Amino acid sequence: MQAHDLALITDAIRMAGRVATSFVGKTAQRWDKPAGAGPVTEADMAVNSLLESVLRNARPEYGWLSEETEDSEARLSNETVFIIDPIDGTRSFVEGSRTWAHSIGIAHRGQITAAAVYLPMRDRLYTAAQGRGAFLNGVPITVSGVTALDDAAVLATKPNMDPKFWPRGVPGFDRAHRPSLAYRLALVAEGRFDAMLTFRPSWEWDIAAGALIVTEAGGTCTDKAGRPLMFNNPHPTLNGVIAGGAALHGDVLGALDA
């Protein structure tokens, strides 16, 4: 089933890229979500409509969780659920940058079994199916072999460097940032960065696909306390995320006041 699901979402995510790139980010109609939840554009909504039509028609028995669809408790009764971020990094899209992504994950009984992250402006398609490895544009990828946090290149925002999180002192790793959480996870999976971390509560749709891609690339991906990630929760958030090679992931946990 994982292989069939992966083929489905790979085709769908490429369609999403064609829809999104038909809009010009800076001129696409946009508005702000309530409660400071960030911007949304007509491109987000168009991609969401496309994916919902294609994916739900193909798998009507699957539930649906998307950033741009009003959530429903109905998905909680489904063993298998699509978890979608139509455009991860909408601010990047609006600015005309190339680092926004589409993200599609499929969760079965809380575990991601198939995943795709696609950056159409960079022609980078990351895919994974449970037990079948992770790939970038069809080529196998693996996490880096760096084991010490002070030697690592880590994707993290500035607030994550607050000393309150690091009781043994703020580590000396090289910090970088990308707007899309899905892309950050994919970059760790391909070994371009050694780890990524976020300590804020994280929406499932930002993490679902990238988490499987990391683990299928040989890495470890947990919440900020080191607990396994579970998806399709009643409130679809996770307690932060830490991803990297197994040894480096352990080094991060050891340095945190978890």
Side-chain angles (χ1 to χ4, degrees):
M1 181 59 74
Q2 288 96 330
H4 293 297
D5 279 348
L6 182 59
L8 170 66
I9 65 176
T10 298
D11 287 344
I13 210 166
R14 286 197 179 277
M15 293 181 206
R18 291 193 291 272
V19 169
T21 54
S22 71
F23 294 86
V24 179
K26 292 183 178 181
T27 61
Q29 183 181 354
R30 59 161 289 182
W31 55 96
D32 290 320
K33 296 179 184 179
V40 63
T41 73
E42 57 184 334
D44 295 81
M45 304 310 294
V47 169
N48 190 63
S49 294
L50 166 82
L51 292 176
E52 187 163 13
S53 175
V54 170
L55 297 176
R56 300 201 81 176
N57 281 331
R59 302 284 191 275
E61 71 277 20
Y62 288 9
W64 183 262
L65 173 63
S66 169
E67 181 176 14
E68 308 305 346
T69 302
E70 184 175 357
D71 195 14
S72 167
E73 291 184 357
R75 64 179 169 80
L76 300 177
S77 64
N78 295 100
E79 282 197 338
T80 308
V81 179
F82 290 110
I83 303 180
I84 309 292
D85 195 339
I87 297 181
D88 185 30
T90 297
R91 288 187 178 88
S92 176
F93 176 83
V94 169
E95 293 166 359
S97 177
R98 303 191 302 154
T99 55
W100 50 274
H102 308 298
S103 178
I104 304 176
I106 296 178
H108 180 70
R109 296 181 179 176
Q111 299 297 312
I112 306 301
T113 56
V117 171
Y118 183 41
L119 283 77
M121 299 300 291
R122 292 180 177 265
D123 191 28
R124 302 179 76 83
L125 174 62
Y126 301 86
T127 56
Q130 194 174 52
R132 296 174 179 266
F135 300 84
L136 169 57
N137 293 343
V139 177
I141 54 176
T142 58
V143 296
S144 84
V146 172
T147 60
L149 186 54
D150 282 338
D151 298 330
V154 179
L155 290 160
T157 60
K158 286 183 180 179
N160 293 323
M161 307 310 295
D162 191 313
K164 71 182 180 182
F165 295 120
W166 306 97
R168 297 169 184 81
V170 178
F173 58 73
D174 291 331
R175 186 186 70 83
H177 178 63
R178 297 293 185 276
S180 162
L181 275 166
Y183 186 33
R184 288 180 230 170
L185 287 161
L187 287 168
V188 171
E190 68 168 305
R192 285 178 59 193
F193 287 87
D194 306 309
M196 70 80 67
L197 51 88
T198 181
F199 301 145
R200 296 177 60 183
S202 303
W203 293 107
E204 289 187 18
W205 48 72
D206 290 329
I207 304 300
L212 180 67
I213 294 168
V214 167
T215 56
E216 286 296 320
T220 301
C221 191
T222 68
D223 75 6
K224 69 179 183 181
R227 292 185 290 262
L229 300 179
M230 291 292 293
F231 295 88
N232 195 33
N233 297 293
H235 183 61
T237 57
L238 305 169
N239 183 32
V241 177
I242 299 172
L248 184 58
H249 182 276
D251 208 26
V252 174
L253 286 178
L256 287 174
D257 183 17

